[in-house]
Every structure is written in structure tokens, then in C-alpha cells.
Amino acid sequence: MTFQFDVYKPLTEESAISLLKKLHFFAEDEHVTCREIGDGNLNLVFQMSTQGSTKKWIVKQALPYAKVVGESWPLTLKRAKIESEALLQFAKFTPHLVPEVLYSNETLALTIMEDLSHLSIARTGLIKGDSYPNLGKDIGTFLAHILFKTSDLGLSPTEKKEKAQQFSNPELCKITEDLVFTDPFFDHDTNDFEPELSEKVEQLWKEDELKLEVAKLKRLFLTNGDALIHGDLHTGSIFASEHETKIIDPEFAFYGPFGFDLGHFIANLLFNALRRPPAQTELFGFIHDTWETFSSVFTSLWKEDKNNPFLQVNGYLDYTLRTVWQDALGFAGCEMIRRTIGLAHVADLDTIEESELRIRTKEIALDIGRSLILNRVEIKNVQDLHEFYIENNEFLGNNARTV
Amino acid sequence: MTFQFDVYKPLTEESAISLLKKLHFFAEDEHVTCREIGDGNLNLVFQMSTQGSTKKWIVKQALPYAKVVGESWPLTLKRAKIESEALLQFAKFTPHLVPEVLYSNETLALTIMEDLSHLSIARTGLIKGDSYPNLGKDIGTFLAHILFKTSDLGLSPTEKKEKAQQFSNPELCKITEDLVFTDPFFDHDTNDFEPELSEKVEQLWKEDELKLEVAKLKRLFLTNGDALIHGDLHTGSIFASEHETKIIDPEFAFYGPFGFDLGHFIANLLFNALRRPPAQTELFGFIHDTWETFSSVFTSLWKEDKNNPFLQVNGYLDYTLRTVWQDALGFAGCEMIRRTIGLAHVADLDTIEESELRIRTKEIALDIGRSLILNRVEIKNVQDLHEFYIENNEFLGNNARTV
């Protein structure tokens, strides 16, 4: 069977095998097992292996549409190129924290990468109560490197502007602009929440002070090209085990604000803390590890630099770290609200079976999200955040100590 | 003589005539007068006309280098394309405030536009004491339109990102990054100032608090792609008469922060106020007109919009205007410092003949620049700015009333 490289067509299990043989990932006469394991909403994902060999590959191919909760709309195939190029970019700094990319093809909108099926999706594992002792440290290391090294701190202004062009990603950004920053704060038909939450949601929609802060955060997202960010760094975009962490799916990558990824990661750890009150200390430990590692690695990179005279100016590093933290809290707040009442939800909350508990937990998620947005300047550090979490969350009755 | 359109070559007066005949700006048999009137540092500028006709054209061609104060370095020809496209873009909103572009050619790095020799360069006119009753209002109108209509306020996020790519201008931005935001704040060999200023300059260089604020402003310039800005809106980039205002030379145009152009314009009016103490009231009148017109036109455009739900949120317009104003004051401060001690100076100060007065005026310019950077949050409006100017400037002994 001949394989056409010059025209886009969704792969089948058969044509995926044919492609990988053509590309010499497998020998022509090898018996290859291939399974499509994607959810079919955005991408095809083929897992391929041969018996009696360690060779295992993932072929991820973008579909020309997105499906979410029954709706379907066309979506650029360019996201496959963004994803593979972002993974390659991240691999330059932290190769141990992303899957290895072995091949990519822009026309076919596909990437061949290492198989990570020995790991679990962190969200799923966390809900089950799996232990990820390196998770916080690894995400902190990852963020410190990508934020420093792809920004004007780590690149010449010309290189940085070239990269910002390379990673221009208007269609995927539009999804975030609408679904994270806009629709959940107005009565929009993409929103999705239980009728029991209506009263609280309508209160949010009436609150101009909150919406003003969201407008500022949305403006940051729209205009502030600090660094190449992942763009969708929730716990479902992380494969993990006790020993390993791998960040996947950077289809939303673009030049955006420093605090965005950190904020989304924190929000998703908070969802898990709401889901599992007894694990609160552990989850705040992750947030603590993330921030401590991020700030210490970022500080080292900053201090190593000898070319940029502003990096020697007293107070500039502190100012930068404070900005990252404050903006991250604001973005975390938006993420908490939109994952509770917007189009795309999180399993941490949605799979709480007992209905009253689920509603009550979602109300707390909304309260915390709202307060993070409004109080992001006052919450100075992880300890403040934890105290503040406990105050907003007396219902769940945690007696866990703050970190 | 045949004219080659497909290869860059600097024009001569003769080949410029040949080109415009070829393009039917003049008939083959017309007697055309052509004069090169550029300063030869960055561009060739040919003024062309025929006797007994009103036909008069300007041909502006970029040279592949820049010369400033005897130094020469290579500089992208792409700036000619940026300039003509920016003029065309601005003409969509305020055609009466920019020269009409009739032809442009990327390969030849040239633009043919209407001749404006009936007007004067505003800086030169202001130094002479000419009257420009519309200057403030016109610049305010211009800025309101370009900032609103090229930003995420006036464009869809996708259109805006496309335009930001079109106007990516790393080489010219680098000049501003170095000469405005970096070199003047450190002991750099591009700096240029009288030995009498050394002590004061060395004090500036030691002041970490100041340099921290400059670092924040530089970061805004590097990362904040609010709108298509002119990028070099000083009084030498404006042709004016009693009745007309024309903004020229947007070679530095790119997607930058809202407050940048306004700040540069204000700084250059302040230089003129320092040069001509008796005209202080008139010059603050221009600043007043600029801000009042800017904010009222910007507010009208904002209120006309019915698509963006955030524009209805109480406080967002005020926040946006406040941000523009504050950032503008900071940028004005950087411009005042760099035009006094950096590579490129202004005639308003440099042509003060009496040496002691010149030095003293430059010291005041540095004081005002420094204080604008440090106090940009406290100075809430034009009246505050005027009071503050008088406080910093008792030496020049003005008794002009505040506006």
C-alpha cells in the first residue's frame, strides 16, 4: 500500500502502520499492533507496538474539527505543527519533562512521539489517590526554564520576536479567550452548570468588580507576549508516575503572559484538593514545591545572566516573581470558575457522585475562584493561599495544617 | 532610460524622474524639477514638481543603513514597507492627519506620497514660536483612533494577531530598546552629553529605584502588543500649519503599548516648554487638548461598541484610560532622559546658545524625566502634570497659570 505524504487525510489503524513502516519505525515484515486510543474529539491517537520488542510509538494526528459536549466546529490543523514545535522547543531546556518527538509532518498534521503508556494522566491518578512526589518540583523546573529562556530574559529581542511569530496561534487562543475569559462571566449559551448553581452564578454575572478584574486578566492574555507558554497546563495535560513527569498536548502554545500556565496548574490542584479533603496537605505541598522550585530555578537563571544590565537592578527579580505569582492567582481564579460553570469541566468535581456534596463543592470552587481573582495582590505566598483556601472552605471541614 | 523595478538601488534625481514618468505621475514629455531634500542619514527624499502645475510628489526611499552622529550601521529596508503600510492603515481612520500614499514598492523600498512642503515640521515651528491651534486636538484624535481601532478593542482577536504579524518590526524596535530604554541608564558609549552634566548623570545611573521603573517600562515595550503605534511620535515627525496636522515617518510602527506615542508627544512638548518658558501655558494647552480629545474620542468609540460585553463593565474604560495616561508619563520620562543624554538629541535643547542656560535647562529636563518615571501613578491628570512641572522647574521662573 502506498502512503500519500502530500495530502491531509485522517489515518486509519491500517494506514498508520503503513506510514510507520515507510518511515522505518518498523520493518516491512514486522507484525505491528495498532490501537486508536484518542477520544475522537480533537485528535486521532494511535498506539503502535510489536510483540517481543520495546519499540512503542504514539502517532497523534489532528482532526480538522473540535467536538466538545456534542458540539462540533472546524479547527485549524496548524495546531499539530504548533504542538510538535513546542515540544521540540521545551525539549531543548527540559528533555526529561516532555515526550520525545521523533517525526512530524505539517501536511498530515501529525507527530510521532515516544509512547508514555507506562504513566498515568495526573488528573486520573490524583483522583484515585496516587502519589506523585516529584510533580510539583518537575512542573516548577519546567516553568522556570520555558518562561526564562523563551522570553526577552533568555533570548535576544529579535530571536524572541521571530519565535513569537512562529508560535502565533490565533484560533486556539480564541478558544481560551471565549471559554476561559468571556463566556463564564456572562449569560452565554456555551455555559453548562447544574440548576442548583444558578443563583450563585447569576450573582457572579452581576458583579462588576469581578468582571473588571477578569477584563484586566483577559487583556493580559490578549496582549502580553512574555514567553512561549504551554497554554493548557491542567492536570489532564500531564503524564506522571512516582518517578516521572511528562508534559503533553501543548496545542495551545503561544507567546502569552508569564503567570498563565502556573495559574492553570494551581487551579487544577485546588480542584483535586476540593475533591479529596484529606489530601489537602499533600496538594498544597505540590503547590509549595512548584513555586519554590520555580522561583529558585528562575532566580538561578536570572543570576547567571551577565548580558542584560537590567537584571542587576535591585528589585527587578522580586518584581518579576511577584508579577508571575499575582497574575497566576488571577488566572487560577478564572480557570476555577470556567471549569465549574463553563463548557469544559473537570472530573475532580463532576464525578463527585453524591449530588448535594457535588453542588456544595462547586459552590466553594466558585467562591475560591472569585476570591483569587479579587485578592490576587493580597495573597503573597503559598501559605497565604492555603490559609485563604481554608477560610473559603470551612464546609469541607479540613484540619490539615498549612504548608 | 529604462527603470529596473526588480532590484534595489538608491535613486538619483534623474532615475527618480524616470520612475515617476514610468508610473504616469508625469507625462513623458513634461519638464520635471527634482530635488533631494533628505538629510541622507536614513532615507533619500525627492521632491518633484512641474512648472505651472499643482502636481507635486514626494518620493521617499529607505537607504540600507542608518547614520547618526557620524556612526553608520546597516538597517533593514523592510522599514519602507512598514512605513507605507502604517500610513495606509492610519489613513483608514484619519485620512486628514497623514500624507496620502499613492504608490509603494517593497523591492525598491520606496513610497510615493503627497508633498507637504506647504507645512512646517512642528518642532522647528514651535521653536520659532509658530502657532498650531489644532495640534493637540489632531494628535488626540489620531491616537484615539489608532489605539482603539487597531487593538483588541476594535478588531477581532484573529485580525489583530494578523496585523501584529504584518507589523513585526524587530530591527527598528531594537533601536528604541537600546537607545531609549537601556543605554541612557547605564554608562554606555552611545551616550552623548556635556561634561557639565556628568555628575547628575552618574547620580541617575546609581539610582536603582529609577532603573527598576525603567525596567518595567522597557518590559511593557518589549511584551505589550496593545495596538499599532507610530513608534516615534515626536514633534519632528509632525508636519503642521495653523490649519493642518500631518503625521509622518511611522517607520518604527509596530504592535506596542497604548501609552507610548502619547508619552513621546508629551515629552517633546515639554522640551519646547523648557526652551520657551513664556509659551508654557500654550504648550500645556496642547497637552490638555491632546488628552481631552484623546479621551473623549476614545470614550465615544468605546461606547459605540456593542459586541464586546466587557466594554459595558463599570470601571473598565476608566481603568484603560488611566493605564494609557500612567504609562504615557513613564514613557515621556524615558524620552526626556534619552533625548538629553543619549545618542539622539532635540533641537529645542541643543540649540539654546547660552551655555549655562542650556546646561541648566538640560538638568531640569533630567529632573522632570526622572520624576515622571517615578511619580507616574501619582500624577493623575494634566493639571497635576503642570503643577508638577512648575515645582521641578522653579529656575525658569514661570508664572504661567496652570491649564
Side-chain angles (χ1 to χ4, degrees), chain B residues 107-402:
Chain B
T107 310
L108 302 176
L110 67 78
T111 304
I112 303 176
M113 57 191 130
E114 68 173 306
D115 177 74
L116 297 170
S117 57
H118 63 292
L119 307 175
S120 314
I121 287 292
R123 187 187 306 285
T124 315
L126 287 170
I127 292 174
K128 280 197 301 175
D130 288 349
S131 166
Y132 298 123
N134 301 319
L135 183 63
K137 275 175 268 178
D138 284 344
I139 298 298
T141 303
F142 173 76
L143 289 176
H145 280 91
I146 70 167
L147 297 191
F148 193 94
K149 291 184 175 168
T150 69
S151 72
D152 286 296
L153 299 168
L155 294 174
S156 78
T158 304
E159 287 171 312
K160 186 238 171 164
K161 289 176 184 83
E162 277 164 15
K163 282 215 187 291
Q165 294 229 29
Q166 179 189 349
F167 288 99
S168 176
N169 198 358
E171 280 197 53
L172 283 277
C173 284
K174 180 75 166 67
I175 295 176
T176 305
E177 290 152 19
D178 291 345
L179 296 186
V180 179
F181 290 108
T182 310
D183 300 356
F185 300 94
F186 300 89
D187 185 4
H188 198 281
D189 58 14
T190 62
N191 291 325
D192 176 26
F193 51 85
E194 289 92 337
E196 293 91 328
L197 291 172
S198 293
E199 200 180 328
K200 200 166 191 77
V201 172
E202 277 162 25
Q203 274 174 11
L204 282 186
W205 291 344
K206 282 186 198 142
E207 203 179 342
D208 262 0
E209 197 192 346
L210 177 70
K211 290 198 284 185
L212 173 58
E213 296 308 313
V214 175
K216 295 179 190 174
L217 291 161
K218 183 178 178 185
R219 179 181 170 229
L220 270 185
F221 185 82
L222 283 165
T223 64
N224 218 75
D226 281 322
L228 179 64
I229 64 174
H230 179 285
D232 193 26
L233 191 63
H234 56 82
T235 45
S237 298
I238 300 168
F239 267 120
S241 72
E242 215 175 312
H243 309 292
E244 276 184 283
T245 309
K246 298 279 185 183
I247 291 135
I248 61 168
D249 290 353
E251 305 166 281
F252 284 79
F254 80 113
Y255 264 75
F258 273 152
F260 190 78
D261 286 341
L262 178 65
H264 277 218
F265 183 59
I266 289 175
N268 282 273
L269 293 177
L270 294 179
F271 283 132
N272 198 261
L274 289 172
R275 165 62 179 255
R276 297 191 302 142
Q280 191 191 122
T281 304
E282 184 190 352
L283 288 155
F284 273 87
F286 292 158
I287 298 177
H288 175 265
D289 291 350
T290 306
W291 178 253
E292 287 304 311
T293 308
F294 168 75
S295 50
S296 104
V297 176
F298 193 85
T299 298
S300 302
L301 293 167
W302 186 287
K303 293 200 165 156
E304 278 162 24
D305 183 285
K306 299 293 172 230
N307 298 319
N308 180 347
F310 280 111
L311 300 202
Q312 317 302 322
V313 172
N314 271 329
Y316 191 30
L317 172 60
D318 285 348
Y319 166 79
T320 304
L321 289 172
R322 201 163 58 244
T323 305
V324 176
W325 174 254
Q326 274 174 20
D327 293 348
L329 294 183
F331 292 130
C334 295
E335 170 76 352
M336 292 198 76
I337 290 174
R338 76 100 171 197
R339 292 283 191 181
T340 307
I341 63 173
L343 182 66
H345 287 204
V346 288
D348 312 62
L349 303 191
D350 270 12
T351 62
I352 297 173
E353 278 185 29
E354 207 279 288
S355 150
E356 236 176 273
L357 178 64
R358 188 180 63 250
I359 296 298
R360 188 68 191 104
T361 308
K362 288 189 175 188
E363 285 174 348
I364 295 167
L366 291 177
D367 285 342
I368 293 175
R370 174 185 169 280
S371 305
L372 284 176
I373 294 169
L374 290 172
N375 300 298
R376 62 194 191 279
V377 178
E378 285 72 41
I379 303 169
K380 303 279 184 214
N381 51 45
V382 180
Q383 189 169 341
D384 286 357
L385 178 65
H386 197 173
E387 283 166 11
F388 169 89
Y389 175 89
I390 291 170
E391 275 168 34
N392 270 272
N393 187 15
E394 283 178 9
F395 169 82
L396 295 175
N398 303 301
N399 51 10
R401 284 184 309 109
T402 61

Side-chain angles (χ1 to χ4, degrees), chain A residues 1-3 9-21 34 46 48 61:
Chain A
M1 174 177 165
T2 57
F3 191 88
K9 201 178 162 186
L11 292 174
T12 60
E13 293 183 353
E14 196 191 359
S15 65
I17 294 173
S18 160
L19 171 69
L20 266 73
K21 287 189 170 178
C34 179
F46 299 92
M48 304 173 82
Q61 184 181 38

Side-chain angles (χ1 to χ4, degrees), chain A residues 207 209-214 216-217 322-323 325-334 337 364-389 391-392:
Chain A
E207 203 178 343
E209 197 193 346
L210 177 70
K211 290 198 284 185
L212 172 58
E213 296 309 311
V214 175
K216 294 179 192 174
L217 291 161
R322 200 162 58 244
T323 305
W325 173 255
Q326 276 174 19
D327 293 348
L329 294 184
F331 292 129
C334 296
I337 290 175
I364 296 168
L366 291 177
D367 284 341
I368 293 175
R370 173 184 168 280
S371 306
L372 284 176
I373 294 168
L374 291 172
N375 301 298
R376 62 195 190 278
V377 177
E378 286 72 41
I379 304 168
K380 304 278 185 214
N381 51 45
V382 180
Q383 188 168 342
D384 287 357
L385 178 66
H386 198 173
E387 284 166 10
F388 168 89
Y389 174 89
E391 276 167 33
N392 270 272

Side-chain angles (χ1 to χ4, degrees), chain A residues 171-203:
Chain A
E171 281 196 53
L172 283 276
C173 284
K174 181 75 167 65
I175 295 176
T176 305
E177 288 152 18
D178 291 344
L179 297 186
V180 178
F181 290 108
T182 310
D183 300 356
F185 299 95
F186 299 90
D187 185 4
H188 197 282
D189 59 12
T190 60
N191 290 326
D192 176 27
F193 51 85
E194 289 92 337
E196 294 90 328
L197 291 173
S198 294
E199 200 179 329
K200 200 166 191 76
V201 172
E202 279 162 23
Q203 274 174 11

